[in-house]
Amino acid sequence: MTHHRIGVMGGSFDPIHNGHLVAASEVAHRFDLDRVLFSPTGLAWRKTAEHAASAELRYLMTVVATAADARFDVTRVDIDRQGPTYTVDTLRDLQAQFVQEHPDDTASWFFITGADALADIVAWRDPDQILAHAHLIGVTRPGHELADPGLPAGAATLVEVPALAISSTDIRARVGRGEPIRYLVPAGVQHLIAKHGLYAAPQP
Ligand code: NAP
């Protein structure tokens, strides 16, 4: 029997950028994770937060960005499930897959995402179930003020990652203004953005 330590990196990845990759790498190191599964969201759970790029292109960019790191993988569970993405479903689907693939093994689960996103977790679907299934890790840039998500002691850890000064919002805006994004995203992601004309219209 083997015990696995698995991180699930949830995000829109619209687009994925080097800050996300540094954050996943840093969390993998600090929490001694065997692997990190990047899970691009399907439909945004709130209509106001519609994605600029399609789910398939966000998935493709995530695959290209993570290809060179043996610890990283990408899952389609949120892309393939109908309806809005709820983290409780993400964890349930991935844990069911794990049991099928490794019936004799056990695992500790870590759900990693932006600390800002975690701040309103009490309003997410089934927060108690999420906490029962995974330790939460909120990644943030240093010095960023955080709202207290009101979680039980020990349920979540915040990790500061300087590279998270990079943001998807800023990258979309830069593309819209015709400014360079080289070195902010992996080269393959930059090529996909150009090839598909993503974010070219001025961003709000
Ligand atoms: P978001 O509101 O678009 O992002 C909020 C902030 O967090 C942004 O600054 C964003 O920066 C950052 N962020 C998001 N994911 C990140 C990551 N993996 N690493 C570092 N920073 C990250 O959040 P979202 O992307 O829609 O959702 C994040 C995750 O939370 C997803 O897995 C989503 O399914 C889950 N979620 C679940 C529920 C629910 O179950 N009801 C509700 C909300 C969110 P960037 O734009 O640069 O990434």
Side-chain angles (χ1 to χ4, degrees), residues 86-130:
Y86 296 111
T87 297
V88 69
D89 297 330
T90 313
L91 291 170
R92 192 179 291 135
D93 289 353
L94 289 173
Q95 290 173 355
Q97 258 178 23
F98 176 84
V99 170
Q100 271 197 336
E101 289 166 10
H102 307 273
D104 299 326
D105 294 353
T106 54
S108 301
W109 293 83
F110 300 80
F111 183 75
I112 312 157
T113 195
D116 278 353
L118 276 188
D120 63 356
I121 189 169
V122 285
W124 292 11
R125 178 174 286 186
D126 294 339
D128 292 345
Q129 280 298 311
I130 297 174

Short mmCIF file of all heavy atoms in Angstrom, two decimals, residues 86-130:
data_model
loop_
_atom_site.label_atom_id
_atom_site.label_comp_id
_atom_site.label_asym_id
_atom_site.label_seq_id
_atom_site.Cartn_x
_atom_site.Cartn_y
_atom_site.Cartn_z
N TYR A 86 -18.32 23.33 -9.20
CA TYR A 86 -18.30 23.42 -7.74
C TYR A 86 -17.15 22.55 -7.24
O TYR A 86 -17.01 21.39 -7.67
CB TYR A 86 -19.62 22.93 -7.15
CG TYR A 86 -20.81 23.77 -7.54
CD1 TYR A 86 -21.79 23.28 -8.39
CD2 TYR A 86 -20.93 25.09 -7.07
CE1 TYR A 86 -22.87 24.07 -8.77
CE2 TYR A 86 -22.01 25.87 -7.45
CZ TYR A 86 -22.98 25.36 -8.29
OH TYR A 86 -24.03 26.15 -8.66
N THR A 87 -16.37 23.09 -6.32
CA THR A 87 -15.17 22.38 -5.86
C THR A 87 -15.52 21.06 -5.19
O THR A 87 -14.75 20.10 -5.28
CB THR A 87 -14.38 23.32 -4.92
OG1 THR A 87 -13.98 24.45 -5.70
CG2 THR A 87 -13.17 22.65 -4.33
N VAL A 88 -16.66 21.00 -4.54
CA VAL A 88 -17.05 19.74 -3.90
C VAL A 88 -17.15 18.63 -4.95
O VAL A 88 -16.75 17.48 -4.69
CB VAL A 88 -18.36 19.92 -3.09
CG1 VAL A 88 -19.56 20.15 -3.98
CG2 VAL A 88 -18.58 18.76 -2.15
N ASP A 89 -17.62 18.96 -6.18
CA ASP A 89 -17.70 17.96 -7.26
C ASP A 89 -16.31 17.62 -7.79
O ASP A 89 -16.02 16.46 -8.12
CB ASP A 89 -18.55 18.49 -8.43
CG ASP A 89 -19.99 18.74 -8.01
OD1 ASP A 89 -20.49 18.05 -7.11
OD2 ASP A 89 -20.63 19.65 -8.60
N THR A 90 -15.46 18.64 -7.90
CA THR A 90 -14.08 18.41 -8.38
C THR A 90 -13.41 17.36 -7.51
O THR A 90 -12.84 16.37 -8.00
CB THR A 90 -13.25 19.72 -8.28
OG1 THR A 90 -13.99 20.80 -8.83
CG2 THR A 90 -11.91 19.59 -8.95
N LEU A 91 -13.48 17.58 -6.19
CA LEU A 91 -12.79 16.66 -5.27
C LEU A 91 -13.44 15.28 -5.28
O LEU A 91 -12.74 14.26 -5.28
CB LEU A 91 -12.80 17.26 -3.85
CG LEU A 91 -11.92 18.51 -3.70
CD1 LEU A 91 -12.19 19.18 -2.35
CD2 LEU A 91 -10.44 18.16 -3.82
N ARG A 92 -14.77 15.26 -5.33
CA ARG A 92 -15.47 13.97 -5.32
C ARG A 92 -15.09 13.15 -6.56
O ARG A 92 -14.76 11.97 -6.46
CB ARG A 92 -16.98 14.21 -5.28
CG ARG A 92 -17.78 12.96 -4.98
CD ARG A 92 -19.25 13.26 -4.93
NE ARG A 92 -19.65 14.07 -3.79
CZ ARG A 92 -20.48 15.11 -3.85
NH1 ARG A 92 -20.97 15.50 -5.00
NH2 ARG A 92 -20.82 15.77 -2.76
N ASP A 93 -15.08 13.79 -7.74
CA ASP A 93 -14.76 13.08 -8.98
C ASP A 93 -13.31 12.58 -8.97
O ASP A 93 -13.03 11.45 -9.35
CB ASP A 93 -14.95 14.00 -10.20
CG ASP A 93 -16.43 14.27 -10.48
OD1 ASP A 93 -17.29 13.65 -9.82
OD2 ASP A 93 -16.71 15.12 -11.35
N LEU A 94 -12.39 13.44 -8.52
CA LEU A 94 -10.98 13.04 -8.54
C LEU A 94 -10.71 11.93 -7.53
O LEU A 94 -9.92 11.01 -7.78
CB LEU A 94 -10.08 14.25 -8.25
CG LEU A 94 -10.03 15.28 -9.38
CD1 LEU A 94 -9.25 16.52 -8.94
CD2 LEU A 94 -9.40 14.67 -10.64
N GLN A 95 -11.38 11.98 -6.39
CA GLN A 95 -11.16 10.95 -5.38
C GLN A 95 -11.76 9.62 -5.84
O GLN A 95 -11.18 8.56 -5.59
CB GLN A 95 -11.69 11.44 -4.03
CG GLN A 95 -10.77 12.57 -3.51
CD GLN A 95 -11.26 13.28 -2.27
OE1 GLN A 95 -12.36 13.01 -1.77
NE2 GLN A 95 -10.45 14.19 -1.77
N ALA A 96 -12.88 9.67 -6.55
CA ALA A 96 -13.47 8.43 -7.09
C ALA A 96 -12.54 7.82 -8.15
O ALA A 96 -12.31 6.61 -8.16
CB ALA A 96 -14.84 8.72 -7.69
N GLN A 97 -11.98 8.68 -8.99
CA GLN A 97 -11.01 8.21 -10.01
C GLN A 97 -9.81 7.55 -9.34
O GLN A 97 -9.33 6.50 -9.77
CB GLN A 97 -10.48 9.40 -10.82
CG GLN A 97 -11.09 9.56 -12.18
CD GLN A 97 -10.54 10.80 -12.89
OE1 GLN A 97 -9.46 11.30 -12.59
NE2 GLN A 97 -11.32 11.30 -13.83
N PHE A 98 -9.33 8.19 -8.27
CA PHE A 98 -8.15 7.67 -7.57
C PHE A 98 -8.42 6.27 -7.01
O PHE A 98 -7.59 5.37 -7.14
CB PHE A 98 -7.76 8.64 -6.43
CG PHE A 98 -6.63 8.13 -5.60
CD1 PHE A 98 -5.31 8.32 -6.00
CD2 PHE A 98 -6.86 7.45 -4.41
CE1 PHE A 98 -4.25 7.84 -5.25
CE2 PHE A 98 -5.81 6.96 -3.65
CZ PHE A 98 -4.51 7.16 -4.06
N VAL A 99 -9.58 6.09 -6.41
CA VAL A 99 -9.92 4.78 -5.82
C VAL A 99 -9.97 3.71 -6.91
O VAL A 99 -9.51 2.58 -6.71
CB VAL A 99 -11.25 4.87 -5.04
CG1 VAL A 99 -11.74 3.49 -4.62
CG2 VAL A 99 -11.10 5.78 -3.83
N GLN A 100 -10.50 4.08 -8.08
CA GLN A 100 -10.55 3.11 -9.19
C GLN A 100 -9.16 2.74 -9.67
O GLN A 100 -8.87 1.59 -9.95
CB GLN A 100 -11.30 3.74 -10.37
CG GLN A 100 -12.79 3.49 -10.30
CD GLN A 100 -13.45 3.74 -11.65
OE1 GLN A 100 -12.92 4.47 -12.48
NE2 GLN A 100 -14.60 3.13 -11.85
N GLU A 101 -8.29 3.75 -9.77
CA GLU A 101 -6.96 3.52 -10.34
C GLU A 101 -5.99 2.93 -9.32
O GLU A 101 -5.03 2.25 -9.69
CB GLU A 101 -6.39 4.83 -10.89
CG GLU A 101 -7.10 5.28 -12.16
CD GLU A 101 -6.79 6.74 -12.54
OE1 GLU A 101 -5.87 7.34 -11.92
OE2 GLU A 101 -7.49 7.27 -13.42
N HIS A 102 -6.21 3.22 -8.03
CA HIS A 102 -5.29 2.75 -6.98
C HIS A 102 -6.10 2.14 -5.84
O HIS A 102 -6.11 2.69 -4.71
CB HIS A 102 -4.46 3.91 -6.43
CG HIS A 102 -3.73 4.71 -7.46
ND1 HIS A 102 -2.48 4.37 -7.92
CD2 HIS A 102 -4.09 5.83 -8.14
CE1 HIS A 102 -2.09 5.25 -8.83
NE2 HIS A 102 -3.05 6.15 -8.98
N PRO A 103 -6.76 1.01 -6.07
CA PRO A 103 -7.68 0.48 -5.05
C PRO A 103 -7.00 0.14 -3.73
O PRO A 103 -7.67 0.13 -2.69
CB PRO A 103 -8.28 -0.77 -5.72
CG PRO A 103 -7.40 -1.07 -6.88
CD PRO A 103 -6.73 0.18 -7.29
N ASP A 104 -5.70 -0.12 -3.75
CA ASP A 104 -5.02 -0.53 -2.51
C ASP A 104 -4.32 0.64 -1.81
O ASP A 104 -3.72 0.43 -0.74
CB ASP A 104 -3.98 -1.61 -2.82
CG ASP A 104 -4.64 -2.84 -3.43
OD1 ASP A 104 -5.78 -3.14 -3.02
OD2 ASP A 104 -4.03 -3.46 -4.31
N ASP A 105 -4.36 1.83 -2.39
CA ASP A 105 -3.57 2.95 -1.87
C ASP A 105 -4.45 3.95 -1.11
O ASP A 105 -5.68 3.93 -1.21
CB ASP A 105 -2.85 3.67 -3.01
CG ASP A 105 -1.80 2.77 -3.66
OD1 ASP A 105 -1.56 1.66 -3.14
OD2 ASP A 105 -1.24 3.18 -4.69
N THR A 106 -3.79 4.82 -0.38
CA THR A 106 -4.50 5.90 0.32
C THR A 106 -3.91 7.24 -0.14
O THR A 106 -2.84 7.27 -0.75
CB THR A 106 -4.30 5.78 1.85
OG1 THR A 106 -2.89 5.72 2.10
CG2 THR A 106 -4.99 4.55 2.41
N ALA A 107 -4.61 8.32 0.16
CA ALA A 107 -4.12 9.63 -0.29
C ALA A 107 -4.54 10.74 0.66
O ALA A 107 -5.61 10.69 1.26
CB ALA A 107 -4.64 9.94 -1.70
N SER A 108 -3.67 11.75 0.78
CA SER A 108 -4.04 13.02 1.42
C SER A 108 -4.23 14.03 0.29
O SER A 108 -3.43 14.07 -0.66
CB SER A 108 -2.92 13.51 2.33
OG SER A 108 -2.65 12.57 3.32
N TRP A 109 -5.28 14.84 0.41
CA TRP A 109 -5.66 15.77 -0.67
C TRP A 109 -5.50 17.22 -0.23
O TRP A 109 -5.84 17.58 0.91
CB TRP A 109 -7.11 15.52 -1.08
CG TRP A 109 -7.27 14.18 -1.72
CD1 TRP A 109 -7.42 12.98 -1.09
CD2 TRP A 109 -7.25 13.88 -3.12
NE1 TRP A 109 -7.50 11.96 -2.00
CE2 TRP A 109 -7.41 12.49 -3.26
CE3 TRP A 109 -7.14 14.66 -4.28
CZ2 TRP A 109 -7.45 11.86 -4.50
CZ3 TRP A 109 -7.19 14.03 -5.52
CH2 TRP A 109 -7.34 12.66 -5.62
N PHE A 110 -5.02 18.05 -1.15
CA PHE A 110 -4.79 19.47 -0.89
C PHE A 110 -5.43 20.24 -2.05
O PHE A 110 -5.10 20.01 -3.21
CB PHE A 110 -3.29 19.77 -0.85
CG PHE A 110 -2.58 18.99 0.23
CD1 PHE A 110 -2.22 17.66 0.04
CD2 PHE A 110 -2.30 19.57 1.46
CE1 PHE A 110 -1.59 16.93 1.04
CE2 PHE A 110 -1.68 18.85 2.47
CZ PHE A 110 -1.32 17.52 2.26
N PHE A 111 -6.38 21.14 -1.73
CA PHE A 111 -6.99 21.95 -2.79
C PHE A 111 -6.32 23.32 -2.78
O PHE A 111 -6.37 24.05 -1.79
CB PHE A 111 -8.50 22.09 -2.60
CG PHE A 111 -9.13 22.86 -3.73
CD1 PHE A 111 -9.32 22.28 -4.97
CD2 PHE A 111 -9.53 24.18 -3.55
CE1 PHE A 111 -9.88 22.99 -6.03
CE2 PHE A 111 -10.09 24.90 -4.60
CZ PHE A 111 -10.27 24.30 -5.84
N ILE A 112 -5.68 23.64 -3.90
CA ILE A 112 -4.88 24.87 -4.00
C ILE A 112 -5.61 25.85 -4.93
O ILE A 112 -6.00 25.47 -6.03
CB ILE A 112 -3.50 24.57 -4.64
CG1 ILE A 112 -2.83 23.36 -3.98
CG2 ILE A 112 -2.60 25.80 -4.61
CD1 ILE A 112 -1.78 22.68 -4.87
N THR A 113 -5.75 27.08 -4.49
CA THR A 113 -6.27 28.10 -5.41
C THR A 113 -5.88 29.49 -4.90
O THR A 113 -5.17 29.62 -3.89
CB THR A 113 -7.79 27.96 -5.63
OG1 THR A 113 -8.15 28.73 -6.77
CG2 THR A 113 -8.60 28.39 -4.43
N GLY A 114 -6.32 30.52 -5.61
CA GLY A 114 -6.00 31.87 -5.19
C GLY A 114 -6.64 32.18 -3.84
O GLY A 114 -7.79 31.81 -3.60
N ALA A 115 -5.89 32.83 -2.96
CA ALA A 115 -6.42 33.15 -1.63
C ALA A 115 -7.67 34.02 -1.74
O ALA A 115 -8.60 33.90 -0.94
CB ALA A 115 -5.34 33.82 -0.79
N ASP A 116 -7.72 34.89 -2.77
CA ASP A 116 -8.90 35.73 -2.98
C ASP A 116 -10.13 34.88 -3.24
O ASP A 116 -11.23 35.18 -2.75
CB ASP A 116 -8.71 36.63 -4.21
CG ASP A 116 -7.90 37.85 -3.89
OD1 ASP A 116 -7.61 38.06 -2.69
OD2 ASP A 116 -7.55 38.59 -4.83
N ALA A 117 -9.95 33.86 -4.05
CA ALA A 117 -11.07 32.98 -4.38
C ALA A 117 -11.54 32.24 -3.12
O ALA A 117 -12.74 32.11 -2.87
CB ALA A 117 -10.67 31.99 -5.47
N LEU A 118 -10.58 31.82 -2.29
CA LEU A 118 -10.93 31.07 -1.07
C LEU A 118 -11.66 31.93 -0.05
O LEU A 118 -12.36 31.41 0.83
CB LEU A 118 -9.66 30.53 -0.39
CG LEU A 118 -9.08 29.21 -0.90
CD1 LEU A 118 -7.97 28.79 0.04
CD2 LEU A 118 -10.14 28.13 -1.00
N ALA A 119 -11.48 33.26 -0.16
CA ALA A 119 -12.02 34.16 0.88
C ALA A 119 -13.53 34.02 1.05
O ALA A 119 -14.05 34.24 2.14
CB ALA A 119 -11.65 35.61 0.55
N ASP A 120 -14.25 33.64 -0.04
CA ASP A 120 -15.70 33.50 0.13
C ASP A 120 -16.14 32.03 0.10
O ASP A 120 -17.25 31.71 -0.29
CB ASP A 120 -16.48 34.36 -0.88
CG ASP A 120 -16.23 33.96 -2.31
OD1 ASP A 120 -15.40 33.07 -2.53
OD2 ASP A 120 -16.87 34.55 -3.21
N ILE A 121 -15.25 31.14 0.56
CA ILE A 121 -15.55 29.71 0.49
C ILE A 121 -16.78 29.32 1.30
O ILE A 121 -17.48 28.36 0.96
CB ILE A 121 -14.33 28.86 0.90
CG1 ILE A 121 -14.61 27.39 0.59
CG2 ILE A 121 -13.95 29.06 2.34
CD1 ILE A 121 -13.45 26.48 0.69
N VAL A 122 -17.06 30.08 2.36
CA VAL A 122 -18.24 29.71 3.15
C VAL A 122 -19.53 29.82 2.33
O VAL A 122 -20.54 29.21 2.66
CB VAL A 122 -18.36 30.53 4.46
CG1 VAL A 122 -17.37 30.04 5.49
CG2 VAL A 122 -18.22 32.01 4.20
N ALA A 123 -19.46 30.60 1.20
CA ALA A 123 -20.64 30.72 0.33
C ALA A 123 -20.63 29.67 -0.79
O ALA A 123 -21.55 29.62 -1.59
CB ALA A 123 -20.67 32.12 -0.28
N TRP A 124 -19.58 28.85 -0.86
CA TRP A 124 -19.51 27.84 -1.91
C TRP A 124 -20.48 26.70 -1.57
O TRP A 124 -20.96 26.59 -0.44
CB TRP A 124 -18.09 27.25 -2.03
CG TRP A 124 -17.06 28.21 -2.54
CD1 TRP A 124 -17.19 29.56 -2.71
CD2 TRP A 124 -15.72 27.88 -2.92
NE1 TRP A 124 -16.02 30.09 -3.17
CE2 TRP A 124 -15.10 29.09 -3.31
CE3 TRP A 124 -14.97 26.70 -2.97
CZ2 TRP A 124 -13.78 29.14 -3.75
CZ3 TRP A 124 -13.66 26.75 -3.40
CH2 TRP A 124 -13.07 27.96 -3.80
N ARG A 125 -20.71 25.81 -2.54
CA ARG A 125 -21.58 24.67 -2.28
C ARG A 125 -20.87 23.69 -1.32
O ARG A 125 -19.70 23.35 -1.53
CB ARG A 125 -21.91 23.96 -3.59
CG ARG A 125 -22.78 22.75 -3.40
CD ARG A 125 -23.22 22.17 -4.72
NE ARG A 125 -24.25 22.98 -5.34
CZ ARG A 125 -24.91 22.63 -6.46
NH1 ARG A 125 -24.63 21.50 -7.04
NH2 ARG A 125 -25.82 23.42 -6.96
N ASP A 126 -21.56 23.25 -0.29
CA ASP A 126 -21.08 22.22 0.66
C ASP A 126 -19.68 22.47 1.22
O ASP A 126 -18.80 21.60 1.09
CB ASP A 126 -21.08 20.83 -0.01
CG ASP A 126 -22.49 20.37 -0.33
OD1 ASP A 126 -23.43 20.88 0.28
OD2 ASP A 126 -22.61 19.48 -1.20
N PRO A 127 -19.42 23.63 1.82
CA PRO A 127 -18.07 23.89 2.33
C PRO A 127 -17.61 22.83 3.34
O PRO A 127 -16.41 22.49 3.37
CB PRO A 127 -18.17 25.28 2.97
CG PRO A 127 -19.61 25.60 3.06
CD PRO A 127 -20.33 24.78 2.06
N ASP A 128 -18.54 22.27 4.11
CA ASP A 128 -18.12 21.26 5.10
C ASP A 128 -17.58 20.01 4.41
O ASP A 128 -16.62 19.40 4.88
CB ASP A 128 -19.31 20.87 6.00
CG ASP A 128 -19.72 22.03 6.89
OD1 ASP A 128 -18.91 22.98 7.01
OD2 ASP A 128 -20.83 21.99 7.44
N GLN A 129 -18.23 19.66 3.29
CA GLN A 129 -17.76 18.50 2.53
C GLN A 129 -16.37 18.76 1.95
O GLN A 129 -15.51 17.88 1.92
CB GLN A 129 -18.72 18.18 1.38
CG GLN A 129 -19.95 17.43 1.80
CD GLN A 129 -19.57 16.07 2.39
OE1 GLN A 129 -18.80 15.32 1.79
NE2 GLN A 129 -20.07 15.78 3.57
N ILE A 130 -16.15 19.99 1.47
CA ILE A 130 -14.84 20.34 0.90
C ILE A 130 -13.78 20.18 1.99
O ILE A 130 -12.73 19.55 1.78
CB ILE A 130 -14.83 21.79 0.36
CG1 ILE A 130 -15.83 21.93 -0.79
CG2 ILE A 130 -13.43 22.20 -0.07
CD1 ILE A 130 -16.01 23.35 -1.30
#
